Amino acid sequence: MNQVTIQWDAVIALYILFSWCHGGITNINCSGHIWVEPATIFKMGMNISIYCQAAIKNCQPRKLHFYKNGIKERFQITRINKTTARLWYKNFLEPHASMYCTAECPKHFQETLICGKDISSGYPPDIPDEVTCVIYEYSGNMTCTWNAGKLTYIDTKYVVHVKSLETEEEQQYLTSSYINISTDSLQGGKKYLVWVQAANALGMEESKQLQIHLDDIVIPSAAVISRAETINATVPKTIIYWDSQTTIEKVSCEMRYKATTNQTWNVKEFDTNFTYVQQSEFYLEPNIKAPYF
Ligand SMILES: *[C@@H]1O[C@H](CO)[C@@H](O)[C@H](O)[C@H]1NC(C)=O
Ligand SMILES: *[C@@H]1O[C@H](CO)[C@@H](O)[C@H](O)[C@H]1NC(C)=O
Ligand SMILES: *[C@@H]1O[C@H](CO)[C@@H](O)[C@H](O)[C@H]1NC(C)=O
Ligand SMILES: *[C@@H]1O[C@H](CO)[C@@H](O)[C@H](O)[C@H]1NC(C)=O
Ligand SMILES: *[C@@H]1O[C@H](CO)[C@@H](O)[C@H](O)[C@H]1NC(C)=O
Ligand SMILES: *[C@@H]1O[C@H](CO)[C@@H](O)[C@H](O)[C@H]1NC(C)=O
Ligand SMILES: *[C@@H]1O[C@H](CO)[C@@H](O)[C@H](O)[C@H]1NC(C)=O
Ligand SMILES: *[C@@H]1O[C@H](CO)[C@@H](O)[C@H](O)[C@H]1NC(C)=O
């Protein structure tokens, strides 16, 4: 009998694997009904009940069995009536599980599959905060990001709302993480309100509104170091030459350098006029690694 049970487990596992490949456990032909209270997607840590009701021709089930991820459950099963049993879980913490149930029918050698269901647990989304939109120079995109907060474990979608302050026209973009919005589609002037709505099966939250001006959010492209030379003198002097890739004037630039013997980066900030090839002079201590912008 034990051997048969093991075989059956293998068969049902393969069967379920096969069903998943073809569109989920819900696609299997059910001889009955399985349902979850309070819901198939629920808040992590809840107590849940899974009900299984058999509707098998010519079968008054002797016993009903529950399986979670292919493993037979042995505790917390209550037979409610002739056709239905309930499995109870306290403080359910798994983000995903596949449940199915079977019946032992008289005169049947094997258990008969009743039905299966995928269940999920997670959290409602946090309020999205730190909404930030930038345009990397020459990218043609406005990239908006935000802090989504804690992991929800379940499918969570974000709707980015972009509303022109001039035309009042509002556009919405659906995404699962950040969003790139083509700058060509921002035809409603320079000023916009941006906010993010987060939603999943357990709840919905909305961020505060961010006001942006397209000219203020451009991130200039990085400068390219073309050459560095060190001049021998009483005090060693290093000259860094760079080419600016940006067309924006009056940007502030910072340079970082460090000694190979010291983990700390030294940062030097300066305002520049990028119309011409730049150079700048540094008096560095010995053992300085190539600087970075
Ligand atoms: C489910 O039932 C339908 C119709 O009775 C049948 O065509 C199909 O092959 C069955 N699928 C499985 C996986 O048994
Ligand atoms: C789950 O059930 C236990 C025992 O019955 C109870 O103490 C606990 O409060 C319940 N938890 C929730 C979240 O309902
Ligand atoms: C058995 O219990 C289930 C769940 O409470 C109910 O839906 C079903 O109608 C009951 N069946 C019978 C035959 O009483
Ligand atoms: C702009 O965004 C689009 C859509 O996300 C992407 O296909 C494209 O590569 C981005 N452009 C650049 C320059 O990164
Ligand atoms: C979005 O745009 C940024 C910058 O233009 C680019 O690096 C990134 O690959 C883009 N992402 C997608 C998904 O297109
Ligand atoms: C700098 O001086 C050192 C020692 O006097 C010498 O070895 C080195 O070649 C000089 N470097 C240059 C670029 O002149
Ligand atoms: C490393 O550099 C920092 C900043 O210049 C300096 O304050 C610190 O004393 C240096 N540490 C060592 C071990 O030289
Ligand atoms: C940038 O520098 C050039 C040459 O020194 C000068 O002609 C130009 O007016 C400067 N531009 C600005 C915005 O300061």
Side-chain angles (χ1 to χ4, degrees):
M1 192 58 206
N2 243 350
Q3 218 174 347
V4 172
T5 311
I6 288 159
Q7 243 172 2
W8 167 249
D9 281 352
V11 167
I12 195 92
L14 277 175
Y15 184 52
I16 281 171
L17 213 59
F18 176 84
S19 307
W20 274 337
C21 295
H22 291 80
I25 198 164
T26 44
N27 267 9
I28 56 180
N29 286 341
C30 291
S31 316
H33 187 37
I34 187 167
W35 73 97
V36 186
E37 283 180 8
T40 307
I41 302 174
F42 51 89
K43 196 164 166 201
M44 206 172 259
M46 280 187 86
N47 299 335
I48 59 165
S49 293
I50 297 172
Y51 292 85
C52 179
Q53 184 172 41
I56 307 166
K57 254 184 228 157
N58 309 318
C59 168
Q60 180 81 259
R62 272 202 310 251
K63 251 187 126 174
L64 296 167
H65 300 284
F66 288 89
Y67 292 78
K68 185 180 78 185
N69 300 328
I71 296 163
K72 194 178 241 170
E73 294 290 359
R74 307 207 172 266
F75 305 105
Q76 303 287 6
I77 295 168
T78 316
R79 185 72 177 252
I80 293 177
N81 56 35
K82 280 177 182 162
T83 58
T84 309
R86 182 183 73 197
L87 168 65
W88 188 73
Y89 285 116
K90 183 181 167 178
N91 188 28
F92 196 94
L93 291 171
E94 290 169 51
H96 301 287
S98 280
M99 304 297 310
Y100 64 88
C101 60
T102 62
E104 265 179 41
C105 296
K107 298 190 209 111
H108 277 67
F109 187 54
Q110 293 186 331
E111 293 174 17
T112 304
L113 179 66
I114 297 172
C115 205
K117 205 167 213 71
D118 292 327
I119 64 176
S120 316
S121 76
Y123 297 106
D126 280 345
I127 298 171
D129 67 353
E130 295 164 29
V131 178
T132 309
C133 294
V134 297
I135 298 173
Y136 292 102
E137 201 181 7
Y138 305 126
S139 76
N141 287 329
M142 177 169 80
T143 305
C144 294
T145 57
W146 52 91
N147 176 7
K150 75 168 176 302
L151 193 61
T152 62
Y153 297 98
I154 55 175
D155 184 35
T156 303
K157 292 280 185 233
Y158 298 88
V159 178
V160 181
H161 296 254
V162 180
K163 184 177 178 182
S164 163
L165 283 172
E166 286 167 36
T167 64
E168 299 272 297
E169 203 180 313
E170 187 185 317
Q171 298 194 59
Q172 299 182 5
Y173 303 88
L174 183 69
T175 179
S176 49
S177 57
Y178 70 101
I179 185 89
N180 276 346
I181 299 166
S182 164
T183 47
D184 292 341
S185 68
L186 299 171
Q187 297 288 350
K190 295 278 192 189
K191 285 185 184 167
Y192 294 88
L193 281 180
V194 178
W195 69 99
V196 178
Q197 233 171 21
N200 65 26
L202 300 175
M204 183 155 106
E205 292 291 353
E206 195 170 286
S207 75
K208 282 190 287 200
Q209 293 189 331
L210 170 76
Q211 189 174 328
I212 56 166
H213 189 292
L214 293 189
D215 289 344
D216 295 343
I217 60 168
V218 179
I219 307 257
S221 52
V224 176
I225 297 174
S226 52
R227 195 151 61 94
E229 72 182 24
T230 301
I231 288 165
N232 270 348
T234 35
V235 182
K237 184 163 97 172
T238 300
I239 303 180
I240 312 290
Y241 297 88
W242 75 82
D243 291 313
S244 165
Q245 308 284 300
T246 186
T247 55
I248 305 161
E249 289 188 356
K250 293 292 286 174
V251 274
S252 152
C253 195
E254 76 170 36
M255 199 191 92
R256 309 203 298 158
Y257 61 94
K258 70 166 188 171
T260 44
T261 50
N262 191 332
Q263 289 307 305
T264 316
W265 284 95
N266 297 291
V267 177
K268 182 175 171 152
E269 262 192 73
F270 43 91
D271 286 320
T272 38
N273 167 352
F274 278 107
T275 321
Y276 296 89
V277 173
Q278 300 292 314
Q279 75 177 61
S280 88
E281 296 179 357
F282 293 93
Y283 296 95
L284 306 173
E285 304 98 69
N287 285 323
I288 297 288
K289 253 194 178 166
Y292 290 84
F293 284 90

